[in-house]
Amino acid sequence: MVTWNNLDTLASFQDLAKTERVNLAEVMSGENGAERVKNYSIPMAAGLVYNYAAKQVDDQVLAALAKLAEEAQLTEKYKELYNGEVINTGEKRLVLHQLTRGQLGDAVVADGVDKRAFYVEQQQKIAEFAHKVHAGEITNAAGEKFTTVVQIGIGGSDLGPRAMYLALENWAKKNNLFKMEAQFISNVDPDDAAAVLNSIDVAHAIFVLVSKSGTTLETLTNESFVKDALKNAGLDASKHMIAVTSETSPLAKSDDYLAAFFMDDYIGGRFSSTSAVGGAVLSLAFGPEVFAQFLEGAAEEDKLAMNEDVLKNPAMLDALIGVYERNVLGYPATTVLPYSQALSRFPAHLQQLDMESNGKSVNRFGEPVNYPTGPVIFGEPGTNGQHSFYQLLHQGTDIVPLQFVGFKNSQIGTDVVIQDSTSQQKLCANVVAQIVAFACGKADENRNKNFEGGRPSSIIIGDKLDPKALGALLAHFENKIMFQGFVWNVNSFDQEGVQLGKVLAKRVLAHETDGALKAYSDLLNI
């Protein structure tokens, strides 16, 4: 029987807190460090490897983490999730994003529908539509092919799909799989939509409106902005727009769209990149076959998350080490540092994925928790970040754990040799140097030049960033966040924290204000 208990009530957590602290600089120096790098790795899907040698763990800590995983019933809770239990207690909903890429357990029937079959059906419909667009069977009013796809959405309808598109854009071009350029409109700031519209040929653009409810204020506002632009160009907007929405939304059967593809309430926006939310734009941009490879990588990683052995379950171990860092070592933040320009927006996606999921101060039953939960997440691609915020990471007063991502080869496969090394070798050299510098530091009598070290990191390493690797990478972090939510006993699948601002904004627009709300409204001439 699965039980849901707060972290501080678990005996295994008390034991974890008593484990001896690891001197990271010591264990990562010399041959000890070389042995750790070889031994502290777990294979992931799609040829990726999770290496945690530079984390503040040893056999004693790892054994304590395994006991915590067992007492917190992480494997059992994951099983309940993928078998269709109501895991999202706040909204009384199932949590089914894994079903968009594969069946892990029992058939899940909700609302009288086999949900795996439903998601596959939507993927097939999207694939058929994309093939027709690429073949010129679906065209603009002049009978000309669409050359650009523009996604209109916000939050999970933008951050994940945008990050995934940018991650695969150069790869697709190199492999002759690039079908259409993609652009994204998310911010209700009119300058966002205007900038995109001014950069494309609207006559050859197809727009994907993404709103589960069909009532998202920012998205509908941007839709109106786009429709006006199409009208002003003498174009029929209904011949240029498709919708991704729920079957019950006002968009579902509207004549304003060429087609509608469906999602449901069982997939949260931040977990929706492998649903129709990401499927439509990625299938149009790269082809349905590429999207299918992306799903395959995610499905393989989901299967690894089922493993009861913590040392063979990279997402679970990553999650548990993160809990140890947050709740025992007291580190307030985590930075995500992909040494891959293709992953330039991946940290932004993880900011929402992590902080919207586990930024909670009450447990699953609405009771306050007496321990820290989700950390602050931030990041930037290397080596850009090295010339930005690494100063604080190396010598600041707070220790911030780091999660690196690196690939042995670039996506484009071409490079230049300067000073006896290629650009890719220079990139990889930098990530290697940073891991050791953060862990080991460097003593110097000049305190300004002294590096304490002892700053923990992990790295996910792959051969090359391709669709399968990207899917595995995404699923790893989704599952890590899920496991951490289980340990902290919070509901990782609702987001009430985003609602209050929306409610107050509607009051401002309706001029139903007083006090500070009215005063700030007057300052901004609303």
Side-chain angles (χ1 to χ4, degrees), residues 327-350:
N327 298 97
V328 177
L329 301 180
Y331 302 150
T334 297
T335 183
V336 180
L337 305 167
Y339 275 63
S340 166
Q341 186 60 28
L343 293 173
S344 61
R345 292 296 290 170
F346 197 69
H349 172 54
L350 292 187

Side-chain angles (χ1 to χ4, degrees), residues 336-340 343 403-407 431 458-460 473 477:
V336 180
L337 305 167
Y339 275 63
S340 166
L343 293 173
Q403 290 199 308
F404 292 101
V405 180
F407 297 93
V431 71
S458 62
I459 183 168
I460 294 173
L473 191 66
F477 283 103

Side-chain angles (χ1 to χ4, degrees), residues 38 178 244 398:
K38 293 175 186 175
F178 189 78
V244 175
D398 281 314

